[in-house]
Amino acid sequence: MEPDRQHPARRRLLTGAAALAAAAALTPLAATSARATSGTRTPRATAYPPTHWNPANAANYTAADRPTEYPVDMVVVHVTQETYADTIKLFQDPTHKATAHYVVRSSDGYLASCVREHDVAWHAGNWDYNTRSIGIEHEGWVDDPAWFTDALYQHSARLTAAVCDRYGIPKDRTHIIGHVEVPGTDHTDPGQYWDWARYMQLVTGAS
């Protein structure tokens, strides 16, 4: 955590009628920066895989210049506890105060890019981990493995592999982690039904 800095909270996502508690608060470093204005920039080109730009509101992330400003050495895997559509809406709500870089849709593996990789998404509930990582949300619920489709695993793994290649991140479980593994978090995603062995095999096998 950064010293003497308040941080906006991790997302609150609803499961049925129960609201999940938000994690530790996070503070934007440059929330008022002109470059953080929503919709004023297009995402930087990435070679693979193709993603679809669904920008989060600029109030929900920190504008930055990674990896110059912060090194990127980790991928954090999340599960939304919401539908894909509602997750995108939450990221576009300026009062939500949380985002991830990408959201993967369950039905077809559609990849939404919501925050540019060079910016700091508020997804981990830990400022140090936010600055160092790419956050990938997966549509579904931790207690229902039916959401973790072949398409979701395959498209997410290709994305993670490409992120690792871009930043020289080792493709291992030390550097590709679940949200539950972030220090200080109270989240359990991606949960017991996430098939880490399968996912890592797909990531390491992606070209």
Side-chain angles (χ1 to χ4, degrees), residues 23-112:
L26 303 175
T27 296
L29 298 176
T32 58
S33 169
R35 65 179 177 169
T37 304
S38 179
T40 60
R41 293 186 297 168
T42 56
R44 290 180 183 174
T46 54
Y48 182 82
T51 61
H52 307 271
W53 184 230
N54 288 266
N57 190 282
N60 294 330
Y61 62 88
T62 298
D65 187 21
R66 302 190 308 169
T68 301
E69 193 171 353
Y70 302 102
V72 178
D73 60 10
M74 192 175 302
V75 175
V76 180
V77 172
H78 301 269
V79 171
T80 60
Q81 299 295 111
E82 271 292 359
T83 65
Y84 168 87
D86 284 347
T87 300
I88 297 298
K89 289 178 183 177
L90 286 169
F91 288 176
Q92 293 173 347
D93 177 356
T95 68
H96 185 57
K97 303 305 179 186
T99 47
H101 293 94
Y102 297 99
V103 183
V104 187
R105 192 163 60 194
S106 172
S107 62
D108 55 4
Y110 178 99
L111 298 174

Side-chain angles (χ1 to χ4, degrees), residues 100-173:
H101 293 94
Y102 297 99
V103 183
V104 187
R105 192 163 60 194
S106 172
S107 62
D108 55 4
Y110 178 99
L111 298 174
S113 172
C114 300
V115 176
R116 304 163 193 88
E117 289 182 5
H118 57 83
D119 291 330
V120 178
W122 302 340
H123 62 95
N126 177 312
W127 178 247
D128 178 56
Y129 275 65
N130 280 348
T131 62
R132 298 167 49 198
S133 64
I134 300 296
I136 304 177
E137 287 279 5
H138 298 82
E139 181 185 21
W141 279 262
V142 296
D143 58 354
D144 186 356
W147 289 90
F148 304 150
T149 62
D150 289 345
L152 179 141
Y153 276 121
Q154 291 166 5
H155 285 78
S156 174
R158 286 198 290 268
L159 173 61
T160 292
V163 167
C164 289
D165 289 343
R166 278 196 281 278
Y167 299 101
I169 301 171
K171 296 173 184 175
D172 59 36
R173 285 284 285 115

Side-chain angles (χ1 to χ4, degrees), residues 154 157-158 161 165 171 197-207:
Q154 291 166 5
R158 286 198 290 268
D165 289 343
K171 296 173 184 175
R198 176 185 182 188
Y199 188 68
M200 294 305 299
Q201 184 177 28
L202 289 169
V203 169
T204 57
S207 60

